[in-house]
Amino acid sequence: MNSYIFTSERLGFRNWTFDDTELLFEINTDEDVMEFFPYKPSKEDTLDFMNRMRQMYEEKGFCYFAVDRLDNNEFIGFIGLCEQTYVKDLDSFVDIGWRLKKSIWNKGYATEGAKACLDFGFNQIELESIYSVAPEINIKSERIMKKIGMQHIKTFEHPKLKDYKELVSCVLYKISK
């Protein structure tokens, strides 16, 4: 049985373990999952990400959490909160994001998980505002942002994506407590 930090109706949110490496790497190498990212992370990149998330959780009390289905303990990816600093006019901000394996898409898990993370962020860590960013062409993620009550703030050129013409134009959404 996994030790969950919090749960939603169908999902458990937890910190990362070494056992997640291969499972997340598999998600990270899926062409469809990574459609709106500039590259597919290597196994080393995947492990570095997991280590950063573990450290962020220890320091901040949140991260992009490893997520399991509660009915069968299947690891399905991540949904959570992460501190970011790349948006001009925002010194630092907390981003809500998700990356889920393709086999569970279109079943409401991203929306359910994002709502649970908003609740955790506002009521457990007492954040005032949470943001979300996606390339403008990623209408699937933007649809989830709208479903969870976020409002469009602006469209901007992402400084980390300036070499990727199709991804550089990004939307910024926000929701406040």
Side-chain angles (χ1 to χ4, degrees), residues 80-167:
L81 307 167
C82 184
E83 193 168 60
Q84 302 288 356
T85 58
Y86 56 78
V87 175
K88 189 178 178 182
D89 306 326
L90 291 175
D91 291 331
S92 74
F93 64 97
V94 175
D95 173 72
I96 186 167
W98 43 84
R99 183 176 306 158
L100 300 174
K101 66 195 304 185
K102 186 179 177 183
S103 63
I104 57 89
W105 285 5
N106 301 312
K107 294 178 170 66
Y109 290 115
T111 300
E112 175 184 328
K115 286 179 179 177
C117 288
L118 289 177
D119 181 65
F120 178 79
F122 290 137
N123 298 312
Q124 298 299 314
I125 351 178
E126 299 183 358
L127 297 170
E128 290 300 316
S129 297
I130 298 173
Y131 295 81
S132 193
V133 174
E136 195 172 17
I137 60 172
N138 186 348
I139 57 171
K140 296 175 208 169
S141 281
E142 190 172 6
R143 190 175 306 128
I144 293 167
M145 294 173 197
K146 291 175 182 177
K147 281 183 183 178
I148 63 174
M150 301 188 93
Q151 300 297 313
H152 182 266
I153 300 300
K154 68 178 180 176
T155 302
F156 70 102
E157 289 201 0
H158 195 306
K160 293 182 177 182
L161 298 174
K162 65 181 186 236
D163 295 333
Y164 304 93
K165 183 175 64 169
E166 68 282 358
L167 301 176

Side-chain angles (χ1 to χ4, degrees), residues 46-96:
T46 300
L47 194 53
D48 287 346
F49 167 83
M50 290 169 43
N51 288 332
R52 281 194 325 275
M53 292 303 106
R54 276 197 292 269
Q55 182 176 353
M56 183 177 294
Y57 180 71
E58 293 303 316
E59 292 174 5
K60 306 279 184 185
F62 61 84
C63 66
Y64 290 141
F65 297 104
V67 178
D68 300 324
R69 285 180 41 184
L70 293 174
D71 63 343
N72 62 9
N73 292 320
E74 175 189 12
F75 172 80
I76 62 168
F78 68 78
I79 307 171
L81 307 167
C82 184
E83 193 168 60
Q84 302 288 356
T85 58
Y86 56 78
V87 175
K88 189 178 178 182
D89 306 326
L90 291 175
D91 291 331
S92 74
F93 64 97
V94 175
D95 173 72
I96 186 167

Side-chain angles (χ1 to χ4, degrees), residues 2 5-6 24 26 30 45 86 97 101 127 130 153 163:
N2 289 312
I5 299 161
F6 61 98
L24 182 59
E26 187 178 317
D30 184 294
D45 294 333
Y86 56 78
K101 66 195 304 185
L127 297 170
I130 298 173
I153 300 300
D163 295 333

Side-chain angles (χ1 to χ4, degrees), residues 6-39:
F6 61 98
T7 62
S8 65
E9 182 180 343
R10 301 179 294 167
L11 303 173
F13 300 78
R14 60 178 172 77
N15 206 346
W16 295 87
T17 68
F18 184 75
D19 292 340
D20 298 321
T21 308
E22 288 297 326
L23 300 169
L24 182 59
F25 179 66
E26 187 178 317
I27 292 169
N28 283 344
T29 56
D30 184 294
E31 292 285 335
D32 293 326
V33 171
M34 300 306 293
E35 178 181 7
F36 302 111
F37 291 87
Y39 65 93

